[in-house]
Amino acid sequence: MAHNININNGKASMFYAGEKPWHGLGTPVDKAVTSAEAIKLAGLDYGVVKQPIFIQGPKGNIQVKDTFATVRSDTNVPLGIVGNRYTILQNREAFNFTDALVGIKEAMYHTAGALGDGEIVWILAKLNGVIEVVKNDITEKYLLLMNRHDGTGSLIIKWTGIRVVCKNTLDMALSKIDGEISTSLRHTVSMGLKVEEVRKALGIISAKEKIFTEAAKRLATVQLTQEAWEGYLKNLKLAPQGDEEGRGKTILVKILDQMNELFEKGHGNDLPGVKGTLWGGFNAVAEYVDYHRRSSGTDENRAKSILLGSGAQLKQKAWDSALVLAK
């Protein structure tokens, strides 16, 4: 399972509307679907339960105090270790949660799925409207929810932009524009009571979209000289440091070649108003992270990197550096 999309009874726990995603697996649909349809198409109609953990003692099994395993109820596969205060957010509840956050009767879902044994679940719901940075350069707006059943993280909700022409994800690149867009909730009994709190936090989305639009349009007005482009890339520290003549140099040369090609010929970077600009430069980095950067050789690691790890950090740094350079 190199892609590590969860496979249950020979079927990938994933669906997608539109173009085939990075791993080429899952149930394709012609259009976005409602939460009731999405949970079945994505293979997420399973429950998770907490079960006590025992160790073998001198006189038999001993229950570990205040420690439990989260277990997938349909396969009986353990997903993680949690404490006694941990409250499970079931997949169905997560969809209901997203429906409530989007604030419309039937949120439309474009993709949803599970990684590993089903311990990581993501849901992507489309928001109304689009952003046009320059003519014919459209960014669609989504709400991304990521939930973990393994006890290693909080429920994460964030605004996500996807540039239509190249499908670059811009969620992480926006996380520090004038404050936080994303919100996280711990798995406690009070989680369900915080929907209104999160909706208030997400009420800033309109303001954030305006800030993003203005910033992106500003980047599109800045033409990069070759020297400025090279300086922009150098500031990103794209390869291992401290090995200038060895493997690090070889890796860096290869990455810079990819970056230069994406800056010139990346998807959407030949559009009038984008070609040769700082907006095109940032999107060259985003496209590299989303589609070309290696992450330990597996598509699962690439997905995790783009959403939560070093790939997200690189895009964030690229965005921050672009804003500084635009000034």
Side-chain angles (χ1 to χ4, degrees):
M1 198 190 334
H3 42 78
N4 214 34
I5 300 297
N6 175 246
I7 304 294
N8 188 36
N9 294 325
K11 184 178 180 180
S13 297
M14 166 84 185
F15 89 91
Y16 60 92
E19 295 182 15
K20 187 177 291 186
W22 71 87
H23 43 71
L25 293 176
T27 302
V29 296
D30 294 331
K31 59 183 180 180
V33 297
T34 64
S35 57
E37 296 167 318
I39 194 169
K40 293 181 179 179
L41 288 169
L44 300 179
D45 49 348
Y46 59 87
V48 178
V49 297
K50 283 169 61 175
Q51 294 186 3
I53 296 175
F54 296 86
I55 61 172
Q56 187 173 358
K59 297 182 180 180
N61 291 335
I62 303 173
Q63 183 175 344
V64 180
K65 184 179 180 181
D66 297 333
T67 304
F68 299 84
T70 52
V71 178
R72 183 168 166 166
S73 57
D74 60 340
T75 61
N76 208 36
V77 172
L79 303 177
I81 306 296
V82 299
N84 63 337
R85 296 187 61 213
Y86 182 92
T87 299
I88 295 168
L89 180 70
Q90 301 291 351
N91 295 340
R92 192 172 299 279
E93 293 174 327
F95 276 97
N96 292 338
F97 199 85
T98 309
D99 280 342
L101 290 174
V102 173
I104 58 179
K105 186 176 181 181
E106 288 187 335
M108 300 307 293
Y109 294 89
H110 277 238
T111 185
L115 294 177
D117 292 314
E119 66 270 19
I120 300 176
V121 173
W122 80 90
I123 302 167
L124 193 66
K126 194 174 188 302
L127 300 171
N128 290 328
V130 297
I131 296 168
E132 189 170 29
V133 177
V134 302
K135 187 177 181 180
N136 299 322
D137 192 357
I138 304 297
T139 295
E140 293 182 332
K141 303 177 296 185
Y142 294 85
L143 188 71
L144 173 68
L145 181 146
M146 294 183 64
N147 187 37
R148 304 187 71 121
H149 293 304
D150 58 6
T152 63
S154 302
L155 172 72
I156 296 175
I157 306 131
K158 64 169 60 255
W159 184 90
T160 300
I162 298 180
R163 189 174 178 231
V164 174
V165 70
C166 54
K167 301 302 179 186
N168 289 346
T169 54
L170 305 177
D171 55 300
M172 291 297 179
L174 304 179
S175 63
K176 292 184 180 178
I177 296 181
D178 192 32
E180 280 292 332
I181 289 179
S182 62
T183 304
S184 61
L185 294 177
R186 296 177 60 193
H187 285 253
T188 63
V189 292
S190 62
M191 180 189 295
L193 303 178
K194 293 184 178 179
V195 173
E196 287 304 316
E197 177 184 323
V198 176
R199 289 189 69 172
K200 289 178 182 178
L202 292 173
I204 62 174
I205 283 180
S206 294
K208 299 299 182 183
E209 290 172 2
K210 182 178 179 181
I211 292 168
F212 164 72
T213 303
E214 291 175 352
K217 287 184 176 182
R218 186 166 72 248
L219 297 187
T221 66
V222 179
Q223 286 288 328
L224 288 178
T225 64
Q226 184 62 31
E227 182 180 5
W229 168 242
E230 291 174 358
Y232 176 65
L233 292 180
K234 184 176 181 180
N235 186 55
L236 299 181
K237 296 180 172 58
L238 296 167
Q241 303 299 300
D243 188 12
E244 300 299 330
E245 299 302 324
R247 182 171 177 269
K249 182 178 180 180
T250 302
I251 293 173
L252 180 59
V253 169
K254 184 178 294 186
I255 293 174
L256 291 178
D257 286 344
Q258 285 182 299
M259 288 290 192
N260 287 326
E261 184 174 358
L262 290 171
F263 183 48
E264 291 291 329
K265 302 177 182 178
H267 292 291
N269 274 5
D270 59 346
L271 287 172
V274 177
K275 187 174 179 61
T277 67
L278 193 48
W279 172 241
F282 165 72
N283 275 286
V285 178
E287 185 173 349
Y288 166 74
V289 171
D290 286 356
Y291 299 101
H292 302 283
R293 186 172 183 259
R294 295 185 64 183
S295 298
S296 302
T298 70
D299 290 315
E300 180 214 5
N301 287 338
R302 178 182 293 118
K304 287 182 178 178
S305 174
I306 291 169
L307 293 172
L308 300 169
S310 60
Q313 294 165 11
L314 178 54
K315 284 197 284 188
Q316 179 65 63
K317 189 167 186 178
W319 178 262
D320 292 341
S321 297
L323 292 183
V324 171
L325 190 56
K327 294 179 181 180

